[in-house]
Amino acid sequence: MAFKPEGHLNGIEQVIYDRYIKTGIAYDFSFDMTEENGASGAADPVKLFTNGAAGVGLSASSDLKRENLRHFVVSETAEDLLENQQLDCGPQYDYKSSN
């Protein structure tokens, strides 16, 4: 249910409501993420067949790194927040977390 101030606010509350209802609220998010993956392996199949007398080593490795930067801004007015049906804050809701 959208908030309707008519009949619910006294004089000073109505003045404050009228002054700030069009106020913009903005959230600025920046996510700087880095993922690093490394892997390596080695094998010497010749030593296995020659009982350790001779060998040819094989090895491989990989070092991978990925970086990602995300930046976004979300903005809305106080009126948008009050009238958003998905943000119903009635007394029937229990906002305590289960933990």
Side-chain angles (χ1 to χ4, degrees):
M1 179 170 84
F3 176 74
K4 303 290 184 207
E6 297 83 20
H8 296 287
L9 305 177
N10 65 32
I12 190 69
E13 291 170 341
Q14 186 68 46
V15 169
I16 292 170
Y17 176 87
D18 292 339
R19 174 178 280 182
Y20 294 108
I21 194 64
K22 297 294 182 185
T23 299
I25 301 166
Y27 309 94
D28 187 349
F29 297 96
S30 289
F31 295 105
D32 188 359
M33 299 163 276
T34 303
E35 179 182 347
E36 294 185 25
N37 296 308
S40 64
D44 193 342
V46 175
K47 265 190 179 178
L48 181 65
F49 294 116
T50 62
N51 204 18
V56 175
L58 304 172
S59 67
S61 67
S62 174
D63 291 320
L64 304 172
K65 183 176 182 179
R66 180 170 57 182
E67 295 183 43
N68 193 356
L69 178 62
R70 298 275 193 230
H71 180 254
F72 59 96
V73 176
V74 178
S75 65
E76 53 211 350
T77 65
E79 184 176 35
D80 294 337
L81 291 173
L82 285 173
E83 293 181 358
N84 188 333
Q85 297 293 324
Q86 295 177 333
L87 300 176
D88 189 5
C89 297
Q92 69 273 23
Y93 295 100
D94 182 13
Y95 293 104
K96 296 177 186 172
S97 75
S98 59
N99 292 330

